[in-house]
Amino acid sequence: MATQLLRRPACQILSHVNPNPSSLLSLARAFSSAIAPIRATLFPGDGIGPEIAESVKQVFKAAEVPIEWEEHYVGDQIDPRTQSFLTWESLESVRRNGVGLKGPMATPIGKGHRSLNLTLRKELNLYANVRPCYSLPGYKTRYDDVNLITIRENTEGEYSGLEHQVVRGVVESLKIITRQASLRVAEYAFHYAKTHGRERVSAIHKANIMQKTDGLFLKCCREVAEKYPEITYEEVVIDNCCMMLVKNPALFDVLVMPNLYGDIISDLCAGLIGGLGLTPSINIGEEGIALAEAVHGSAPDIAGKNLANPTALLLSSVTMLRHLNLHDKADRIQNAILNTIAEGKYRTADLGGSSKTTDFTKAICDHL
Amino acid sequence: MATQLLRRRASQILSRQAYPNPSSPLSLARAFSCATTRIRATLFPGDGIGPEIADSVKQVFEEAEVPIEWEEHYVGDQIDPRTQSFLTWESLESVRRNGVGLKGPMATPIGKGHRSLNLTLRKELNLYANVRPCYSLPGYKTRYDDVNLITIRENTEGEYSGLEHQVVRGVVESLKIITRQASLRVAEYAFHYAKTHGRERVSAIHKANIMQKTDGLFLKCCREVAEKYPEITYEEVVIDNCCMMLVKNPALFDVLVMPNLYGDIISDLCAGLIGGLGLTPSCNIGEGGIALAEAVHGSAPDIAGKVSPQIYLRTSIEYLPFIFFYRAIHFVWIRNTCEKI
């Protein structure tokens, strides 16, 4: 009885911030984050991965973030249960903890196994890829006023992988759009906009040409938009969107898109703010699972030399903290990162400076 | 006998120069006539601001003494049953006969039972490549000063085949079709264009790491054509990398060749880099050497009638006559290359 009484207001609280209020995971967390640390899975990855993961751990320790890391590495043997180099235990760890951070992973060349990213996406049912893109003060690009989020549907669309040869010289590829997946990503987009105080959601499409497929996507977005009357909803054609983004990116707030357009637009926005080395990214799965990741490569040429820029992984970990509703910690760390870059004294080589990874990390800790 | 000798010699001359279709009787006649007679070109002034800017083009061409004789055609207000569109059969025949045309902005009337005007032109004239030269205009400052690239987009198939259906309730499929024939055709044009315009590099834009068969076939065709042009550097760039590189450093690119959807996105992105659709030239290439240059901006009905060539306001409209002129000269040059031989 008492637990039921406790559970009801907890559900009410959680329904504000979690699309899945009945998840026992979030329930446990609401009552435990004040007391016990949150367990999170960490995949350091390859190449520069371990170094930048170390940076994240140091910064989190300095900021006293209540996170306990559970490290997992990619094996060099294929696990038959997952048909991949990722072991079943690693995947179970993410499912259990509900939150993870992934460094860059280089898929080994070979056959007979699935790519690592594909394995994670399929096994954890990661349906939305979220990339907050904002201009970093102090790192000058041609654009100073970028402040938008791209939310990309990550399971279907043009990337369904269903191709075949009709006759010699004629090939077909299927683009699949389903109501279920479109509703799911639209729900997440509006929910995100509401919880992060965003005012506008733009659905990107080419429904004037692909009337049924993108038309269905838009229909789902409109249905969800009706449930959020305080958020402005608009629809923008993909080619117009690209043109507007390069002319005036301040026009956009939250963008929600099917798979291919999302791939293109999210990389375009990464280019606007300075590249993949500065871009945070988080993948959202069913049951509130979140896997933040660095979207840049593993840079094997500078691995182990203390030259890597941990900004992307750090900003991704900040996104992870926001997903866990640790907003004050997230703000502190984000401000420390931005101030360090803005100051200009400690910058890694890719940003035009000459600092080492460890110096850069220490500067961020000092700014906390 | 004499005519046979003339014809053989003409074929030899033409096959050496910039023409993909040396046996076309059109180019043959022109090779021996363009020095003396004027070239006939079809002009569709279009709607809204169309007639005014078409007027500008005519004035500028007259001043520059360009040997073009315009044949004007207007979009009717009745559907022609032969074309199932507001464009009449005579208009289309005019373009086929002249081989070259200039089209102003056309607003497709809302309604059913007819094809869109652009679709009609594309299907009837078999316009397979859309070419957009994008270069920064000196004097019109944007964030980018060093843009100088051409986008060549395959315009007939790919994701825009229009073949969609509902599988079950709530599940819809769309077919993306790539054929060897169309891919070879646009790749041939791209490399040919690069060669005749002194361009050094052709980049094929794709997503073949994911769409291995479809974009893979497109790339295969591009590679085959690339082998015939060893002096031109050929590279392949994934679409998402391409977009990122374009916004960071557009000077990296020279000629881009792409399937339909990527071409749509990238060509509008590049238009944004240089200032918008109001400043972007565009030309559609069809079989048999047909070329239809066009304005890709809208008909701007709100300012129609207020723009006069004598009044140069500091807006993008100021540059429209310049762009029309440059664009028209661009394809007239192709036609007139025969004069120089």
Side-chain angles (χ1 to χ4, degrees):
Chain A
M1 170 73 167
T3 33
Q4 278 178 12
L5 280 171
L6 268 177
R7 206 183 292 258
R8 217 174 292 134
C11 284
Q12 283 167 5
I13 295 171
L14 288 168
S15 61
H16 286 307
V17 300
N18 207 319
N20 227 333
S22 56
S23 155
L24 288 172
L25 208 60
S26 13
L27 198 63
R29 189 163 297 135
F31 291 96
S32 69
S33 54
I35 331 159
I38 302 167
R39 288 182 69 82
T41 311
L42 175 64
F43 295 101
D46 312 310
I48 55 172
E51 301 165 54
I52 54 181
E54 192 55 44
S55 290
V56 175
K57 285 194 275 187
Q58 281 182 22
V59 172
F60 271 37
K61 210 160 121 187
E64 293 170 358
V65 179
I67 290 223
E68 194 182 305
W69 296 110
E70 203 181 301
E71 282 189 39
H72 283 262
Y73 286 88
V74 173
D76 48 3
Q77 305 246 335
I78 295 179
D79 185 343
R81 293 164 297 177
T82 59
Q83 282 165 23
S84 157
F85 290 99
L86 276 166
T87 62
W88 185 254
E89 282 75 26
S90 306
L91 293 173
E92 275 300 304
S93 156
V94 184
R95 284 194 196 102
R96 195 176 50 243
N97 295 334
V99 71
L101 184 63
K102 178 177 90 67
M105 285 182 183
T107 299
I109 297 175
K111 294 194 188 296
H113 64 86
R114 295 191 289 183
S115 95
L116 299 165
N117 289 320
L118 186 65
T119 310
L120 282 165
R121 201 169 65 235
K122 293 278 181 190
E123 295 290 333
L124 302 171
N125 208 0
L126 303 173
Y127 64 87
N129 177 263
V130 181
R131 282 199 203 169
C133 289
Y134 38 84
S135 296
L136 298 176
Y139 184 62
K140 185 112 184 63
T141 62
R142 294 184 222 246
Y143 300 88
D144 297 321
D145 53 353
V146 184
N147 185 5
L148 53 90
I149 322 279
T150 60
I151 299 180
R152 159 193 176 188
E153 203 291 321
N154 219 359
T155 62
E156 54 174 31
E158 297 82 349
Y159 293 3
S160 307
L162 298 162
E163 296 178 291
H164 62 277
Q165 181 172 275
V166 184
V167 292
R168 204 173 145 76
V170 179
V171 194
E172 269 180 12
S173 172
L174 289 171
K175 164 179 169 170
I176 317 250
I177 299 282
T178 63
R179 187 173 155 73
Q180 186 208 5
S182 305
L183 275 177
R184 191 170 55 174
V185 76
E187 287 278 3
Y188 183 78
F190 279 89
H191 163 80
Y192 184 101
K194 184 166 180 177
T195 52
H196 289 75
R198 295 280 171 170
E199 293 164 354
R200 195 164 68 251
V201 172
S202 314
I204 313 299
H205 67 96
K206 191 75 188 178
N208 43 343
I209 306 282
M210 289 188 266
Q211 293 164 1
K212 292 199 171 92
T213 38
D214 286 353
L216 175 58
F217 182 79
L218 287 184
K219 200 156 153 263
C220 298
C221 290
R222 282 178 212 137
E223 279 180 35
V224 178
E226 281 168 20
K227 297 195 271 181
Y228 294 81
E230 67 280 9
I231 295 179
T232 315
Y233 169 69
E234 63 176 4
E235 296 169 359
V236 188
V237 183
I238 172 97
D239 40 7
N240 275 356
C241 174
C242 288
M243 197 173 358
M244 288 152 76
L245 273 171
V246 297
K247 288 179 85 176
N248 187 8
L251 290 170
F252 290 104
D253 199 353
V254 178
L255 297 152
V256 62
M257 306 159 278
N259 214 335
L260 175 69
Y261 310 147
D263 195 0
I264 295 171
I265 299 278
S266 57
D267 278 11
L268 200 164
C269 295
L272 296 178
I273 62 162
L276 290 179
L278 300 170
T279 309
S281 172
I282 187 164
N283 295 302
I284 307 297
E286 299 267 9
E287 304 290 323
I289 287 183
L291 184 67
E293 61 173 352
V295 287
H296 54 73
S298 53
D301 47 331
I302 56 170
K305 296 182 187 164
N306 203 9
L307 292 171
N309 183 353
T311 307
L313 196 63
L314 280 166
L315 288 174
S316 297
S317 63
V318 166
T319 327
M320 187 184 81
L321 290 175
R322 291 195 198 284
H323 178 84
L324 293 169
N325 295 314
L326 297 170
H327 290 288
D328 50 340
K329 298 284 186 198
D331 287 334
R332 274 184 70 199
I333 297 176
Q334 184 173 329
N335 288 339
I337 299 169
L338 295 181
N339 288 339
T340 311
I341 296 176
E343 220 177 46
K345 270 202 312 211
Y346 295 96
R347 280 198 196 175
T348 48
D350 58 322
L351 293 180
S354 54
S355 296
K356 302 270 181 210
T357 311
T358 39
D359 295 335
F360 184 68
T361 312
K362 188 165 174 310
I364 296 175
C365 296
D366 291 340
H367 270 106
L368 279 168
Chain B
M1 168 78 167
T3 35
Q4 275 178 16
L5 278 171
L6 265 176
R7 203 184 293 260
R8 212 176 295 139
R9 183 77 188 119
S11 294
Q12 282 169 5
I13 293 171
L14 287 168
S15 60
R16 269 209 310 271
Q17 53 87 358
Y19 233 103
N21 223 337
S23 56
S24 152
L26 205 61
S27 13
L28 202 62
R30 190 161 296 131
F32 291 94
S33 67
C34 53
T36 42
T37 62
R38 295 157 75 78
I39 301 169
R40 287 181 70 81
T42 310
L43 174 63
F44 295 101
D47 312 309
I49 55 171
E52 302 161 47
I53 52 182
D55 234 10
S56 297
V57 175
K58 287 193 273 187
Q59 281 185 24
V60 173
F61 271 41
E62 223 177 278
E63 279 300 316
E65 292 175 4
V66 179
I68 289 220
E69 192 181 311
W70 296 109
E71 200 181 303
E72 281 189 40
H73 283 263
Y74 285 87
V75 173
D77 49 1
Q78 307 245 337
I79 296 180
D80 184 341
R82 294 165 296 177
T83 61
Q84 281 166 25
S85 156
F86 289 99
L87 275 166
T88 61
W89 185 254
E90 283 75 27
S91 306
L92 293 174
E93 276 301 304
S94 158
V95 183
R96 283 193 195 104
R97 195 176 48 244
N98 295 334
V100 69
L102 184 62
K103 177 175 96 62
M106 285 183 182
T108 299
I110 298 175
K112 295 193 188 296
H114 63 86
R115 292 191 290 185
S116 94
L117 298 165
N118 288 320
L119 185 65
T120 309
L121 281 165
R122 201 169 64 237
K123 294 277 180 187
E124 295 289 332
L125 301 171
N126 207 1
L127 303 173
Y128 65 87
N130 177 264
V131 182
R132 283 197 201 170
C134 289
Y135 36 83
S136 298
L137 296 176
Y140 184 67
K141 185 112 184 66
T142 62
R143 293 182 223 247
Y144 301 87
D145 297 320
D146 53 352
V147 184
N148 185 5
L149 53 90
I150 321 281
T151 61
I152 298 181
R153 159 192 175 190
E154 203 292 322
N155 218 0
T156 61
E157 55 175 28
E159 299 82 348
Y160 293 4
S161 307
L163 297 161
E164 296 179 290
H165 62 277
Q166 182 172 280
V167 184
V168 292
R169 202 172 145 76
V171 179
V172 194
E173 270 180 12
S174 171
L175 288 172
K176 163 180 169 168
I177 317 251
I178 298 281
T179 61
R180 190 172 154 74
Q181 186 209 4
S183 305
L184 276 176
R185 189 172 55 176
V186 76
E188 287 277 4
Y189 183 77
F191 278 90
H192 163 78
Y193 184 101
K195 184 167 179 175
T196 51
H197 288 75
R199 294 279 172 170
E200 293 164 354
R201 196 164 69 252
V202 172
S203 313
I205 312 300
H206 67 98
K207 191 77 187 180
N209 44 344
I210 308 281
M211 288 186 267
Q212 294 164 1
K213 292 199 171 98
T214 37
D215 286 352
L217 176 58
F218 182 79
L219 288 184
K220 199 155 153 262
C221 297
C222 289
R223 281 177 212 138
E224 280 179 33
V225 178
E227 280 169 22
K228 297 194 272 180
Y229 293 82
E231 68 281 6
I232 294 179
T233 315
Y234 168 69
E235 64 176 4
E236 296 169 359
V237 188
V238 183
I239 172 93
D240 41 7
N241 275 356
C242 174
C243 287
M244 197 173 354
M245 288 153 75
L246 274 171
V247 297
K248 289 179 86 175
N249 186 9
L252 290 170
F253 291 103
D254 199 353
V255 177
L256 298 152
V257 61
M258 306 158 280
N260 214 333
L261 174 68
Y262 311 147
D264 196 0
I265 296 173
I266 301 277
S267 57
D268 277 11
L269 200 164
C270 295
L273 295 178
I274 62 162
L277 289 178
L279 301 171
T280 309
S282 172
C283 188
N284 294 301
I285 307 297
E287 298 265 9
I290 287 183
L292 183 68
E294 62 174 353
V296 288
H297 56 75
S299 52
D302 49 331
I303 54 169
K306 298 177 192 166
V307 179
S308 154
Q310 288 84 16
I311 302 171
Y312 280 101
L313 310 164
R314 285 188 63 76
T315 63
S316 58
I317 297 169
E318 175 180 336
Y319 291 94
L320 281 171
F322 174 84
I323 295 298
F324 262 78
F325 165 76
Y326 200 92
R327 187 168 64 229
I329 282 297
H330 174 78
F331 70 83
V332 164
W333 178 85
I334 296 176
R335 290 274 165 175
N336 282 351
T337 308
C338 57
E339 281 184 64
K340 296 175 188 160
I341 297 178

